[in-house]
Amino acid sequence: MGFVEEVAAALPDGAVMTDPDLLEGYRYDRTDWLTPGQPAAAAFPRSTDEVAAAVKVAATHQVPIVPRGAGSSLAGASQAIDGCLILCLEQMNRIVEVDEVDQTVVVEPGVINAEISEATAPQGLWYPPDPASKAFCSIGGNIATNAGGLCCVKYGVTRDYVMGLEVVLADGTVIETGGRTIKGVAGFDLTGLLVGSEGTLGIVTGARLRLRPTPSGTATLVATFPTLGSAGDAVASITRSGLVCSLMEIMDRTTVCAVDDAYRMDLDRDCAALLLLQSDAPSPLRATEIAQASDHCAASGASYLATTEDPDESDALLQARRLAIPALEQQGTTLLDDVAVPRSRIPDLLARSEAIADSHEVTIGSFGHAGDGNLHPTLVVPREDDGTVLRRALAAFDALVLAALDLGGTITGEHGVGSIKAPFLEREIGAGNLAIQRRIKRALDPHGLLNPGRWL
Amino acid sequence: MGFVEEVAAALPDGAVMTDPDLLEGYRYDRTDWLTPGQPAAAAFPRSTDEVAAAVKVAATHQVPIVPRGAGSSLAGASQAIDGCLILCLEQMNRIVEVDEVDQTVVVEPGVINAEISEATAPQGLWYPPDPASKAFCSIGGNIATNAGGLCCVKYGVTRDYVMGLEVVLADGTVIETGGRTIKGVAGFDLTGLLVGSEGTLGIVTGARLRLRPTPSGTATLVATFPTLGSAGDAVASITRSGLVCSLMEIMDRTTVCAVDDAYRMDLDRDCAALLLLQSDAPSPLRATEIAQASDHCAASGASYLATTEDPDESDALLQARRLAIPALEQQGTTLLDDVAVPRSRIPDLLARSEAIADSHEVTIGSFGHAGDGNLHPTLVVPREDDGTVLRRALAAFDALVLAALDLGGTITGEHGVGSIKAPFLEREIGAGNLAIQRRIKRALDPHGLLNPGRWL
């Protein structure tokens, strides 16, 4: 029997798809300026046993496996490769257990991020990591990339919330990692190693996540600044004071103007940068914290300040940030970059971004998580482009990555290495470190079948 | 040349010790009821290059290496084994760099935990993880065990603070892991894998740690409870409310009475458990938080409550917890266990501990980190014991570990597996998980030279 027949026989009827037209939608992720390969088939298992069965058949036939959650990777980590089996976890989308007392939830990998907090809201509990894509990205993908988000500045990233995993290994065996306790040091931290491994070490089929009590509300501050330096000073001054905001976002002038062009929000189009800050501390502390943050911004030279505790007004202020990508997308096709620098270097990175936009003659709107030093410079290519601007944009994309490294930063803060950052990885981590990563990869996946051809 | 001569030749004069009398002190760690092996030599490198040189000679001669920080392991992780080289990192004790703006510090592994916060205090910065041994344990050992402590309930454990490492591998090559950014997902999390690996994957020769602004003060609450269940209810009720204490410790009646016997602190000897809570939120919030915590304790049936914001009074209240080990040590030799359970199972674990004390006819004082579900049941063996009580105590020690597993917990919350928990590891993590750990071990240390004979 050929591979496709055998994997179809190993799974229930209808769980394996080979129709090229239907497969087409599963070839791509959100890195749609890359050209994916042509898969042999896509499988839609509904249980850990079915995942294991599919992996075993693929191992027998030495067929590479591309695990896929919601296909929302911005790093080309879930694009099809030639001849692969796309292992779609979207049917494994059950919330298995909510433990109100110990504040944990057990989920299957296909559960959408935002559905977790929806399911646990009745118990007053909340799953913090909140990528901008939380309405449509899957927790399996979040785990694969160690996804971040807006509230990470206070609450940490995905790895901080994964207590334990169920994983199908490259040979189809199933292991569990981690446990049910907040602390634990029994052996190597395999849970932490698997988080962020981008599907290269095993297929996550279940996860126990830590929850937190839902904050009771937020207070919000918007501040604009005449220079990048003054915005950076405000971030540094707030951080040094010990104030921990639950959100600390920044947008540069290009992004502010794009949002204002698209949505007429009466934003300060002359500012160099706009900061958005929130506190979710219990009332009345959140008002106090936001007032203190406002004082820091004023002392750093803010040209405009507005605060609110009203939920609707807060939402309206946050809209400017939420609309950054849609606004830039109105100007053309976007290439979203993802780099991080030591927090103090944010103004330098924004200045480099402006300089790269000028020298490469391409629009770059930069925005992101100022409190974490993690920015998303976003390149805009006009839709009528004949390839000329795209080439300049791709060069600018690379220049931004090198600028982050030059500033003591990283090639990826939260989107992952995937395909697009692979050429830069060794430059960041060094040949010795990369060699160890490859040894670990070989130890767990000796035939290189799990999501091959990315960065290992 | 023999091994000892060659390693001595590779290091500066006086850096290698072979005198059996002088070696004696380096054979033991704080798990002194185990009998260590007889080392071939001890080396005291002063630089990464010297560590690499010693490791290379050991690799050539296939001599096992036992890395050693301050020798404060309570799990037998740094006891000598026969014929080994003890690699003492105590001379590598420099604080290399304090970055006030990005709130990081670079340290060598021999730096004592408490010295870090002392060094960064002038900048208003603080290194949170605070094992009870912080006055004499080394940061290298903290990293090797992913050490916890009292403030972890709010601030997390060692792994949460290690941004990057410099590591000498088993063949003497040097790699760096991690970086200078708060977020980063460039490749596998080797930093997190090495933290908690107990010297079995590499020798940490440097670390960049994250700091936090020093809290401005604390408010403290002491509460005693007539039953274990009511103390557990208070912990659950506070946690569910979203209140995050900066310290949440528990002591059982045996420990309370031992402290009162030794130090006449007028404690409530009839209580089933004593809770100690602190808030380090900015004033006036900390008083509010502690008042709320007090209300939760009262509603759960506390028989005694006392709160203070006065630093000296706070210190006096905390003394009862700090004196737990010294007080139990006055009654005999202590065997400190370290187990963790889901937070809600703390009362069950304390009840099991009492039952095990009865059935094994041995004194067990239990205390620890209620907010994390991490307890240290401590067995007391009279100094005049002929071995009879010690045998019962060792059986009780094992029974406590099995009780923790039975309650959905872990064999070690923060002390590590080392030698003493090795027999229980597979029962917790499963054969498949342990097999993967051994594959990773072989990938990084194919000849098994780094701290062998513990749990891999």
Side-chain angles (χ1 to χ4, degrees), chain B residues 109 154 198 226 248 283 323 348-349 381 410:
Chain B
K154 178 167 181 178
E198 302 189 17
M248 202 172 195
S283 192
L323 293 170
D348 301 314
L349 182 61
V381 178
T410 175

Side-chain angles (χ1 to χ4, degrees), chain B residues 58-89:
Chain B
T60 306
H61 289 263
Q62 298 278 294
V63 167
I65 295 171
V66 175
R68 184 184 178 90
S72 60
S73 172
L74 291 162
S78 47
Q79 292 220 339
I81 57 177
D82 282 336
C84 76
L85 175 69
I86 302 175
L87 197 59
C88 294
L89 284 313

Side-chain angles (χ1 to χ4, degrees), chain B residues 418-440:
Chain B
S419 303
I420 63 170
K421 297 290 173 70
F424 301 99
L425 184 61
E426 183 172 335
R427 198 185 295 226
E428 175 172 342
I429 69 176
N433 181 314
L434 185 56
I436 292 298
Q437 307 224 358
R438 290 193 169 123
R439 281 200 234 168
I440 291 173

Side-chain angles (χ1 to χ4, degrees), chain A residues 221-253:
Chain A
L221 164 69
V222 177
T224 62
F225 295 85
T227 62
L228 295 175
S230 55
D233 287 348
V235 171
S237 159
I238 290 166
T239 307
R240 206 158 44 227
S241 76
L243 204 65
V244 181
C245 293
S246 57
L247 179 146
M248 201 172 196
E249 296 286 306
I250 194 165
M251 296 162 65
D252 72 354
R253 188 196 322 243

Side-chain angles (χ1 to χ4, degrees), chain A residues 12-350:
Chain A
D13 280 354
V16 173
M17 176 199 285
T18 54
D19 181 309
D21 292 342
L22 295 175
L23 274 180
E24 188 64 14
Y26 291 92
R27 289 174 63 209
Y28 286 84
D29 56 24
R30 279 174 80 213
T31 328
D32 49 15
W33 41 279
L34 295 183
T35 307
Q38 194 60 55
F44 297 80
R46 292 182 174 271
S47 68
T48 303
D49 284 348
E50 291 181 15
V51 172
V55 170
K56 276 180 187 155
V57 175
T60 306
H61 288 264
Q62 297 279 294
V63 167
I65 294 171
V66 175
R68 182 183 179 91
S72 60
S73 173
L74 291 162
S78 48
Q79 294 221 337
I81 57 177
D82 282 335
C84 76
L85 174 68
I86 302 175
L87 197 59
C88 294
L89 283 313
E90 62 187 41
Q91 304 284 336
M92 292 183 69
N93 58 0
R94 290 182 314 137
I95 294 177
V96 179
E97 176 198 316
V98 179
D99 182 334
E100 183 178 350
V101 178
D102 283 314
Q103 305 182 345
T104 66
V105 60
V106 177
V107 295
E108 291 185 337
V111 173
I112 299 302
N113 175 300
E115 292 173 353
I116 301 171
S117 292
E118 281 164 26
T120 61
Q123 285 86 22
L125 296 169
W126 165 63
Y127 176 69
D130 59 344
S133 54
K134 68 179 179 179
F136 55 87
C137 64
S138 72
I139 188 68
N142 290 182
I143 291 168
T145 53
N146 187 24
L150 302 175
C151 73
C152 301
V153 60
K154 178 167 180 178
Y155 291 105
V157 293
T158 301
R159 187 178 284 120
D160 300 313
Y161 290 86
V162 182
M163 301 176 75
L165 294 171
E166 181 189 71
V167 184
V168 174
L169 299 173
D171 61 358
T173 59
V174 183
I175 64 165
E176 291 189 13
T177 72
R180 307 171 67 102
T181 59
I182 294 171
K183 288 161 77 179
V185 292
F188 298 144
D189 181 19
L190 292 192
T191 308
L193 177 66
L194 286 155
V195 175
S197 65
E198 301 189 19
T200 64
L201 297 179
I203 316 284
V204 170
T205 51
R208 181 179 294 275
L209 308 173
R210 194 172 167 180
L211 302 168
R212 283 183 182 272
T214 314
S216 56
T218 54
T220 304
L221 164 69
V222 177
T224 62
F225 295 85
T227 62
L228 295 175
S230 55
D233 287 348
V235 171
S237 159
I238 290 166
T239 307
R240 206 158 44 227
S241 76
L243 204 65
V244 181
C245 293
S246 57
L247 179 146
M248 201 172 196
E249 296 286 306
I250 194 165
M251 296 162 65
D252 72 354
R253 188 196 322 243
T254 302
T255 310
V256 167
C257 289
V259 171
D260 201 53
D261 285 341
Y263 303 102
R264 306 282 161 211
M265 295 181 75
D266 202 20
L267 300 174
D268 177 3
R269 302 177 63 98
D270 296 324
C271 74
L274 179 151
L275 277 185
L276 261 166
L277 306 171
Q278 283 192 325
S279 165
D280 65 356
S283 192
L285 182 71
R286 54 179 174 259
T288 313
E289 288 192 345
I290 282 302
Q292 286 173 358
S294 182
D295 291 346
H296 286 285
C297 289
S300 302
S303 38
Y304 170 82
L305 290 163
T307 64
T308 183
E309 274 200 270
D310 179 83
D312 294 334
E313 282 179 31
S314 276
D315 248 24
L317 294 177
L318 260 191
Q319 273 301 85
R321 167 66 180 89
R322 289 215 190 90
L323 293 171
I325 297 178
L328 290 165
E329 281 176 343
Q330 293 204 6
Q331 302 189 358
T333 304
T334 53
L335 282 66
L336 203 69
D337 209 337
D338 164 54
V339 291
V341 290
R343 202 158 34 198
S344 64
R345 308 309 295 272
I346 282 272
D348 301 314
L349 182 61
L350 288 169

